[in-house]
Amino acid sequence: MHVRLPRVLDTARSHDTARPAVVVLCGSTRFWDALAEANLYETAAGRIVLAPGCDMKVAHPLWEEPGRAVRLKDMLDALHRQKIALADQVLVVNPGGYIGESTRNEIAYARSLGKPIRYTHSVSEGA
């Protein structure tokens, strides 16, 4: 028995061998649900999505010990910079226009690499 795929998946099949665009999501994990929603829409648009993999604002045994949390945060920040370097473009998930210090640093890094940057919400000129 064969399962009929939804139309959005049917259109994703292609004989074209070109690699889809790779987009990296940047933004505060306080907006975890908005990051997940952006991931969904970018994936449905046929892009490969790189995104934060840990929400350290939610309790978890991996980061419950303070010293380990600091080390993990540093490692995750470095890992995210590598994701930015790999990506073709950056999508900043910024509900209400919010951009925190970490995200500002990620945007600056992306700009230094010449990556195109999009935003989910309007931003001020200084962002």
Side-chain angles (χ1 to χ4, degrees):
M1 180 162 130
H2 294 282
V3 176
R4 177 91 172 113
L5 295 174
R7 184 114 176 106
V8 68
L9 297 180
D10 285 346
T11 60
R13 278 191 262 147
S14 172
H15 299 289
D16 185 4
T17 58
R19 176 180 64 78
V22 177
V23 62
V24 62
L25 304 182
C26 294
S28 174
T29 57
R30 76 174 66 179
F31 303 120
W32 195 256
D33 290 342
L35 286 162
E37 187 79 356
N39 193 330
L40 171 70
Y41 277 92
E42 291 297 307
T43 300
R47 291 184 271 279
I48 297 169
V49 180
L50 304 175
C54 300
D55 180 1
M56 294 184 69
K57 291 177 176 56
V58 175
H60 191 280
L62 281 175
W63 49 82
E64 68 186 3
E65 189 266 309
R68 189 171 186 192
V70 169
R71 290 188 303 277
L72 182 60
K73 171 82 167 93
D74 290 343
M75 187 276 296
L76 291 172
D77 288 347
L79 181 63
H80 201 70
R81 284 190 299 278
Q82 290 298 316
K83 291 177 183 181
I84 293 167
L86 285 170
D88 298 314
Q89 56 185 269
V90 174
L91 176 59
V92 178
V93 178
N94 62 321
Y98 176 83
I99 298 176
E101 182 180 351
S102 292
T103 303
R104 264 193 282 281
N105 291 337
E106 292 167 356
I107 292 167
Y109 180 63
R111 283 186 177 141
S112 78
L113 298 176
K115 304 290 179 174
I117 301 171
R118 296 183 287 131
Y119 297 85
T120 59
H121 295 77
S122 297
V123 293
S124 64
E125 288 298 312

